[in-house]
Amino acid sequence: KQGYQRRVRGTIRGMIPHKTQRGMEALNRLKVFEGIPPPYDKQKRMVVPSALRVLRLKPGRKYASVGRISREVGWKYGDVVEKLETKRKEKSAAYFQAKKKLSALRAKAAASA
């Protein structure tokens, strides 16, 4: 059985000319992770509007997610990644609330000063 990231990497490898020098360099630059690893979990996440499924696919068009397909063929860490993702979202929500509270206090202090 392959891991989730190896399956994604293999899929992308099939899409690029991996036997050429340019393709090998592109494949070496590719980073694939399960979830969000520590150096990237502190960075601000951004949405790429041109890549949104709602904008890219026609209404009624069928689609499949890599996670669902991987679970169907035997990937057994979907539950672990889901649990870690919910934990990350809870921490992120708590951080955002604290940040919002702090910015409100700063705005109040700036207004009174």
Side-chain angles (χ1 to χ4, degrees):
K1 305 284 179 187
Q2 285 186 347
Y4 181 74
Q5 70 269 23
R6 285 185 57 193
R7 186 166 291 125
V8 171
R9 187 178 183 83
T11 302
I12 294 171
R13 180 179 175 266
M15 295 179 192
I16 63 172
H18 65 276
K19 293 183 179 180
T20 64
Q21 185 65 31
R22 185 171 141 255
M24 282 186 241
E25 290 170 0
L27 199 58
N28 287 336
R29 286 191 304 267
L30 177 67
K31 294 181 182 180
V32 182
F33 304 103
E34 291 183 14
I36 303 174
Y40 303 109
D41 61 350
K42 303 292 183 210
Q43 291 181 356
K44 183 179 179 188
R45 283 171 287 289
M46 301 169 78
V47 175
V48 180
S50 62
L52 289 174
R53 184 179 66 224
V54 175
L55 300 175
R56 300 301 296 176
L57 295 180
K58 294 179 182 175
R61 181 72 70 178
K62 293 182 180 180
Y63 68 93
S65 67
V66 178
R68 185 182 61 81
I69 293 171
S70 297
R71 276 193 291 274
E72 287 176 5
V73 297
W75 183 54
K76 53 189 174 198
Y77 296 102
D79 299 331
V80 174
V81 170
E82 215 169 282
K83 188 171 83 172
L84 290 171
E85 185 67 13
T86 56
K87 199 186 292 185
R88 182 196 64 78
K89 284 182 181 178
E90 289 171 1
K91 282 174 65 177
S92 179
Y95 171 78
F96 180 69
Q97 291 299 324
K99 183 178 174 182
K100 205 160 64 167
K101 192 175 187 181
L102 188 64
S103 68
L105 286 172
R106 281 189 181 144
K108 187 176 179 183
S112 66

